[in-house]
Amino acid sequence: MGGTAGALKGNTGQLLIIVRFIILKVIDWTLGLRVKDEQEGEGLDITQHGEQVYE
């Protein structure tokens, strides 16, 4: 497709991009890649680490 050789012709870089995408999607569906908006608004130091940087 598009004039670029695929994985069967020795271009494994294209295959690695697809594998990385699939791994990230699985992680996003199970654990999530981002914190919730409420946690981000409150501050990640407090919600994730239980610490307050500035008083």
Side-chain angles (χ1 to χ4, degrees):
M1 287 181 83
T4 304
L8 296 177
K9 298 216 177 194
N11 185 3
T12 57
Q14 196 174 27
L15 181 64
L16 290 175
I17 292 171
I18 294 169
V19 170
R20 288 177 187 149
F21 176 77
I22 292 171
I23 289 171
L24 284 172
K25 278 298 186 183
V26 169
I27 291 173
D28 188 29
W29 290 330
T30 57
L31 302 173
L33 291 175
R34 293 191 50 115
V35 296
K36 294 181 174 82
D37 290 335
E38 298 85 27
Q39 291 176 330
E40 192 171 359
E42 186 177 337
L44 297 180
D45 289 328
I46 295 170
T47 60
Q48 299 295 309
H49 307 291
E51 300 175 350
Q52 186 171 358
V53 179
Y54 302 107
E55 292 188 33

